Amino acid sequence: MGNVHKQHLHMSESSRSRLYSDIEEATEWLAQFGQAAEGGVTRLLYTPAWLAAQQALEERMGRFGLTPYYDDCGNLYGRLSGTDRDAGVLLTGSHVDTVNCGGKFDGAYGILAGMLALRYLRENCGSPRRTIEVVSFCEEEGSRFPLTYWGSGNIVGRYSLGAVPEVTDKEGITLAAAMSGAGFGQKRYRPTERRDIAEFIELHIEQGFVLEKENKTIGIVEGIVGQKRFTVRLKGAANHAGTTPMKYRHDALAGAGAMIGWIEGRALTQPEPFVSTVGQLEVSPNSSNVIPGQVCFTVDVRDAVEERLAAFCLELRQAFAAIAGGRGLSVEVEEWMNMPPALMNPAMNSELAAICEAKRLPWRHMFSGAGHDTQVISRLCPSTMLFVPSHNGISHSPLESSSTADLATGVEVLAEWLYKRAY
Amino acid sequence: MGNVHKQHLHMSESSRSRLYSDIEEATEWLAQFGQAAEGGVTRLLYTPAWLAAQQALEERMGRFGLTPYYDDCGNLYGRLSGTDRDAGVLLTGSHVDTVNCGGKFDGAYGILAGMLALRYLRENCGSPRRTIEVVSFCEEEGSRFPLTYWGSGNIVGRYSLGAVPEVTDKEGITLAAAMSGAGFGQKRYRPTERRDIAEFIELHIEQGFVLEKENKTIGIVEGIVGQKRFTVRLKGAANHAGTTPMKYRHDALAGAGAMIGWIEGRALTQPEPFVSTVGQLEVSPNSSNVIPGQVCFTVDVRDAVEERLAAFCLELRQAFAAIAGGRGLSVEVEEWMNMPPALMNPAMNSELAAICEAKRLPWRHMFSGAGHDTQVISRLCPSTMLFVPSHNGISHSPLESSSTADLATGVEVLAEWLYKRAY
């Protein structure tokens, strides 16, 4: 407890080297649970692999000197109790579930980083003034059931176990049945909703390649973009590709091509982090010698500023109507996702920036273009995120990777920030 | 035989009215063979429905006073023998096979029109000087086996029963086995190759809507367009739709959109009958929140002039390479079909135009944008085609339709031309 009263943690070389090997070991260890035959990790909510991972984390939290406990939807916490019982809890962590054949780092890193930071603080600095907890959220990805943020959503009261959404997985198993099969949802554990969290911080891999491209070690997240998603249905006339003169065509795919061009051209003129993507497209009848009569495609639009996002989407609807009209096509634009941007806490970000500066770490502010549990928790309390570089930006893939040095640096920054806030 | 020596046939009102009701009856009658539960007609090569149709046509040819006979690949002929045995045969007809759930007119019309014209000539004008035959080609569409023009191809020697292509249908049945199952390919019938045909004329529905749009009853075909087909494979980088800034993307679908735009824009500047179509397109991974990493699409290009077709395709390759290069995409353009244009016989067309003028029929010259048996037979002898309007241009569909009046007019023009040439 020698450095309890100092302003900065001074991690010894041996601690640093232990952290380096421990984050590498922990990553491989957790990836065993749900190791997929096809490669990668598949840990879908409430499956045996998922349960084994939570139970293994629970056991390891205990060994790290943390008090593990579940809530009734399956979120797992590890608590390092503070001396001041009235001070709000500092929470860190991420999600334990993965996509099908996902990587070893997505979600897992934030849990393991929190556990290692808390072990370090407990061993080196003793009991904190404020309680710190690490959370392993039960679900974020939406890979088994068609809903996302089930873990964090229960914590903030967006979801409630009194009204479990009636959704089913591909086998027709309901969310309620899957939850009960894993031993949750039966009031055996703590209630899910929490009001005692003062601040939340999530470490996560970037899942993009901006940090790597710009040689930064840490990304301090200013906000998580808002998203809208649309399905666009274009109808023209399917006709013979040989017997229909160009001037008489109502080619739905040519119309879609013009719309894709409009989106790309317009998106390139918007300031970052604006992005827009046509990711999915289906042609009907999809035959080489038939003019496409129908095309259906998705548009994904993301931006940091809700008004700018809305303005773009309005402009998109007008542009699509004009393109379709000029070609004798009918067009339907259906919005099926609308998530507002979530701003991270500027005070927390200033502290984190100061820590990076003091450690002479290359860092930058950035927006998260992907959704995270933090956007849900940020409705409850001041929250933020730290990113570490993803090699080639690859995520949701067995090829996902981050350097051990970067992962360890992230833990160091987290530990320092928790130290400053809790001790 | 009252009008045998006149220059024009003068079809009586009662003959005309009989023709009108007979073409309607015959169309419905032939459509019974292969009537599909899903609607439309399915008469695939060498299937029971196909065989029943050929046998029914054989029987009806006999009743019409024609001598029916098969060749060994299953083409059915009905012969009206001429007095001059040394004069070449005048041949008319079309194909009996259909696509899956096709219409009642495609192919069928040309056979039935030929039979009705020959019956009329035999009954009203007696034996011709030159032999006239009507043919029911066994196969044109390529709907069961991956090859087309099997019927006419055998006649001109492009195919031979001594070297049956080793192709199989969806059930794995070989062409040779299917042929033998229907009783053909065993030298029980006449050899397939013919050298005695002097001229060929095929009546067919337009399968486009140009005649209807322009209020023409007859299209005299100047030529059948040449076709090239390509598969274009574009590779970029599949990345997260949220975390990848616009400026760092290699979006294969955005590249495909630009190529589709190039094709359409360039095609619109070409003279008719040039057409180019992107009919089939597949995106990978095809997920709303992933930037498309790969896109594969087809390009169908058709034109009347071989050099112009080739020049366009060369320009296309250059343009695609430039678009791909500018976007950091790789592109592969694979040509998998190359059929040269076929020119119809100008002398035959002049005679047909004169007949239309004399009958005060609204007609036009036009190119066929679809392939037909005539392009195969035209390598053997002077050949041409007549089109009658297709309602809304719909073909290869149960909705295919043509007016009985137009169908009957086509038969009249055919009968007149055969009369002038054979009597």
Side-chain angles (χ1 to χ4, degrees):
Chain A
M1 293 207 274
N3 52 7
V4 141
H5 302 292
K6 290 181 188 162
Q7 199 174 349
H8 297 291
L9 278 178
H10 290 289
M11 204 176 266
S12 66
E13 269 314 306
S14 71
S15 290
R16 205 183 298 262
S17 132
R18 183 183 173 206
L19 181 58
Y20 189 99
S21 56
D22 283 358
I23 189 70
E24 193 162 79
E25 180 276 334
T27 302
E28 296 304 320
W29 165 78
L30 188 53
Q32 295 172 86
F33 304 98
Q35 197 158 36
E38 317 88 291
V41 185
T42 301
R43 226 163 27 221
L44 304 184
L45 179 64
Y46 300 141
T47 58
W50 173 93
L51 190 58
Q54 288 290 65
Q55 286 169 344
L57 285 167
E58 176 191 8
E59 190 273 336
R60 188 170 278 210
M61 284 174 179
R63 278 205 286 121
F64 278 15
L66 310 176
T67 309
Y69 68 93
Y70 290 101
D71 70 16
D72 206 32
C73 79
N75 293 313
L76 169 66
Y77 295 91
R79 171 181 288 226
L80 179 60
S81 290
T83 50
D84 180 354
R85 296 289 163 113
D86 296 332
V89 170
L90 294 183
L91 183 67
T92 187
S94 189
H95 60 97
V96 75
D97 71 314
T98 68
V99 297
N100 271 298
C101 301
K104 298 172 188 169
F105 304 89
D106 181 358
Y109 171 57
I111 303 167
L112 300 172
M115 286 167 63
L116 289 171
L118 265 60
R119 183 186 67 176
Y120 174 85
L121 290 171
R122 193 189 64 79
E123 290 180 355
N124 292 279
C125 315
S127 289
R129 183 178 53 79
R130 293 168 66 176
T131 295
I132 316 176
E133 293 186 18
V134 57
V135 62
S136 169
F137 293 121
C138 63
E139 201 276 344
E140 186 253 16
E141 299 284 4
S143 293
R144 179 170 178 187
F145 296 98
L147 87 178
T148 49
Y149 310 115
W150 174 242
S152 49
N154 269 284
I155 293 170
V156 302
R158 181 205 278 187
Y159 293 125
S160 147
L161 297 189
V164 177
E166 289 179 7
V167 291
T168 54
D169 68 7
K170 283 184 183 170
E171 269 76 50
I173 300 169
T174 63
L175 173 57
M179 179 162 56
S180 136
F184 296 98
Q186 298 164 322
K187 302 193 178 169
R188 282 169 52 193
Y189 302 100
R190 298 205 192 178
T192 60
E193 198 168 348
R194 293 194 63 164
R195 313 232 161 152
D196 58 339
I197 302 171
E199 284 170 300
F200 176 66
I201 181 167
E202 179 175 14
L203 261 64
H204 206 281
I205 55 166
E206 182 196 346
Q207 302 180 282
F209 49 59
V210 173
L211 291 176
E212 183 176 72
K213 236 183 181 60
E214 301 185 357
N215 287 309
K216 305 292 187 192
T217 305
I218 296 287
I220 298 176
V221 177
E222 296 174 276
I224 298 172
V225 294
Q227 293 187 37
K228 281 177 185 277
R229 291 200 204 156
F230 301 92
T231 294
V232 180
R233 290 184 193 83
L234 271 175
K235 282 190 192 166
N239 268 311
H240 195 294
T243 63
T244 314
M246 294 307 295
K247 65 182 175 197
Y248 291 141
R249 296 182 171 208
H250 305 290
D251 182 332
L253 183 56
M259 291 172 182
I260 292 167
W262 183 89
I263 288 177
E264 189 190 40
R266 199 71 193 77
L268 282 165
T269 69
Q270 302 277 319
E272 288 192 11
F274 182 95
V275 286
S276 185
T277 309
V278 177
Q280 198 174 3
L281 186 143
E282 307 285 351
V283 180
S284 168
N286 208 31
S287 177
S288 67
N289 60 352
V290 182
I291 298 165
Q294 294 188 38
V295 170
C296 186
F297 63 92
T298 57
V299 183
D300 174 308
V301 191
R302 308 189 191 202
D303 200 2
V305 184
E306 192 160 12
E307 295 67 31
R308 208 166 58 195
L309 184 60
F312 179 89
C313 294
L314 184 65
E315 206 188 325
L316 177 147
R317 283 178 186 276
Q318 289 163 347
F320 281 17
I323 291 169
R327 293 168 169 272
L329 306 172
S330 76
V331 64
E332 247 181 68
V333 180
E334 184 202 341
E335 182 180 305
W336 52 270
M337 186 195 282
N338 183 14
M339 305 208 319
L343 288 180
M344 302 294 96
N345 185 264
M348 290 172 77
N349 283 355
S350 298
E351 294 159 11
L352 290 162
I355 291 169
C356 290
E357 289 295 327
K359 289 183 180 292
R360 298 175 197 278
L361 294 170
W363 68 279
R364 61 165 283 177
H365 277 131
M366 64 193 300
F367 257 78
S368 171
H372 292 286
D373 286 305
T374 302
Q375 75 199 54
V376 178
I377 301 291
S378 70
R379 300 182 186 185
L380 192 68
C381 64
S383 302
T384 196
M385 296 189 76
L386 291 181
F387 282 165
V388 296
S390 290
H391 184 49
N392 285 333
I394 297 168
S395 187
H396 286 189
S397 155
L399 299 176
E400 188 178 271
S401 83
S402 292
S403 80
T404 304
D406 290 342
L407 296 170
T409 301
V411 180
E412 262 194 76
V413 174
L414 173 66
E416 177 82 35
W417 183 80
L418 290 171
Y419 173 71
K420 284 180 184 293
R421 302 294 289 164
Y423 283 84
Chain B
M1 295 208 272
N3 52 7
V4 142
H5 302 291
K6 290 179 187 166
Q7 200 176 346
H8 296 290
L9 276 178
H10 289 290
M11 204 175 264
S12 65
E13 268 314 306
S14 71
S15 290
R16 205 183 298 265
S17 129
R18 184 182 174 208
L19 180 58
Y20 189 98
S21 56
D22 283 358
I23 188 71
E24 192 162 81
E25 180 276 334
T27 302
E28 295 305 319
W29 165 77
L30 188 53
Q32 293 172 87
F33 304 98
Q35 197 157 38
E38 317 88 292
V41 185
T42 301
R43 227 163 26 222
L44 304 184
L45 179 64
Y46 301 141
T47 58
W50 174 93
L51 191 59
Q54 288 292 65
Q55 286 169 344
L57 285 167
E58 176 191 8
E59 190 273 336
R60 189 170 276 208
M61 285 174 178
R63 280 204 287 119
F64 278 16
L66 310 176
T67 309
Y69 69 94
Y70 289 101
D71 70 16
D72 207 31
C73 80
N75 293 314
L76 169 66
Y77 294 91
R79 171 181 287 227
L80 180 61
S81 289
T83 50
D84 180 352
R85 295 289 164 113
D86 296 331
V89 171
L90 296 182
L91 183 66
T92 186
S94 189
H95 60 96
V96 74
D97 70 314
T98 69
V99 297
N100 271 299
C101 301
K104 297 173 187 169
F105 304 90
D106 182 358
Y109 171 56
I111 303 167
L112 300 172
M115 285 167 64
L116 289 171
L118 265 63
R119 183 185 67 175
Y120 174 84
L121 291 172
R122 193 188 65 79
E123 290 180 354
N124 293 278
C125 316
S127 288
R129 183 176 54 80
R130 293 170 66 176
T131 295
I132 317 175
E133 292 187 17
V134 57
V135 62
S136 170
F137 292 120
C138 64
E139 201 277 342
E140 187 254 13
E141 300 283 4
S143 293
R144 179 170 179 189
F145 296 97
L147 87 178
T148 49
Y149 310 116
W150 175 243
S152 50
N154 269 285
I155 293 170
V156 303
R158 179 205 279 188
Y159 293 125
S160 147
L161 296 189
V164 178
E166 287 178 9
V167 291
T168 54
D169 69 6
K170 282 183 183 172
E171 269 76 49
I173 301 169
T174 62
L175 174 56
M179 179 162 57
S180 136
F184 295 98
Q186 298 163 322
K187 303 193 178 169
R188 282 169 53 193
Y189 302 100
R190 300 204 191 179
T192 60
E193 198 168 349
R194 293 193 64 164
R195 311 232 163 155
D196 58 338
I197 302 171
E199 286 171 299
F200 176 66
I201 180 168
E202 179 176 13
L203 263 64
H204 206 282
I205 55 165
E206 182 196 345
Q207 301 180 283
F209 49 59
V210 173
L211 292 176
E212 182 176 74
K213 232 178 183 60
E214 301 184 357
N215 287 309
K216 307 290 186 192
T217 305
I218 296 287
I220 298 176
V221 177
E222 295 174 276
I224 298 171
V225 294
Q227 292 187 36
K228 281 177 185 277
R229 289 198 206 159
F230 302 91
T231 294
V232 180
R233 291 185 194 84
L234 271 175
K235 281 189 193 165
N239 268 311
H240 195 294
T243 62
T244 314
M246 294 307 296
K247 65 181 174 197
Y248 291 142
R249 297 182 172 209
H250 305 288
D251 182 333
L253 183 55
M259 291 173 182
I260 292 167
W262 183 89
I263 288 178
E264 188 190 40
R266 199 71 193 76
L268 282 165
T269 69
Q270 301 278 319
E272 288 191 13
F274 182 94
V275 285
S276 185
T277 309
V278 176
Q280 200 173 2
L281 186 143
E282 307 284 351
V283 180
S284 170
N286 208 31
S287 177
S288 68
N289 60 352
V290 182
I291 298 165
Q294 295 189 39
V295 171
C296 186
F297 62 93
T298 57
V299 183
D300 174 309
V301 191
R302 309 189 190 203
D303 200 1
V305 185
E306 194 162 12
E307 294 69 29
R308 208 165 59 195
L309 184 60
F312 179 88
C313 293
L314 184 65
E315 205 187 328
L316 177 147
R317 282 178 187 275
Q318 289 164 347
F320 281 17
I323 291 170
R327 292 168 170 272
L329 306 172
S330 76
V331 63
E332 247 181 69
V333 180
E334 184 202 341
E335 182 181 304
W336 52 271
M337 185 194 282
N338 182 14
M339 306 209 318
L343 289 180
M344 302 293 97
N345 185 265
M348 290 172 77
N349 282 355
S350 298
E351 294 158 12
L352 291 163
I355 291 169
C356 290
E357 288 295 328
K359 289 185 181 290
R360 298 174 197 279
L361 294 172
W363 68 278
R364 62 165 282 177
H365 277 132
M366 65 192 300
F367 256 78
S368 172
H372 292 287
D373 286 304
T374 302
Q375 74 200 55
V376 178
I377 301 291
S378 70
R379 300 182 187 186
L380 193 68
C381 64
S383 302
T384 196
M385 295 188 76
L386 291 180
F387 281 164
V388 296
S390 290
H391 185 48
N392 286 331
I394 297 167
S395 187
H396 287 190
S397 155
L399 299 177
E400 188 178 88
S401 83
S402 291
S403 80
T404 303
D406 289 342
L407 296 169
T409 301
V411 180
E412 263 194 77
V413 174
L414 174 65
E416 177 84 36
W417 184 80
L418 289 171
Y419 173 71
K420 285 179 183 292
R421 302 293 289 164
Y423 284 83

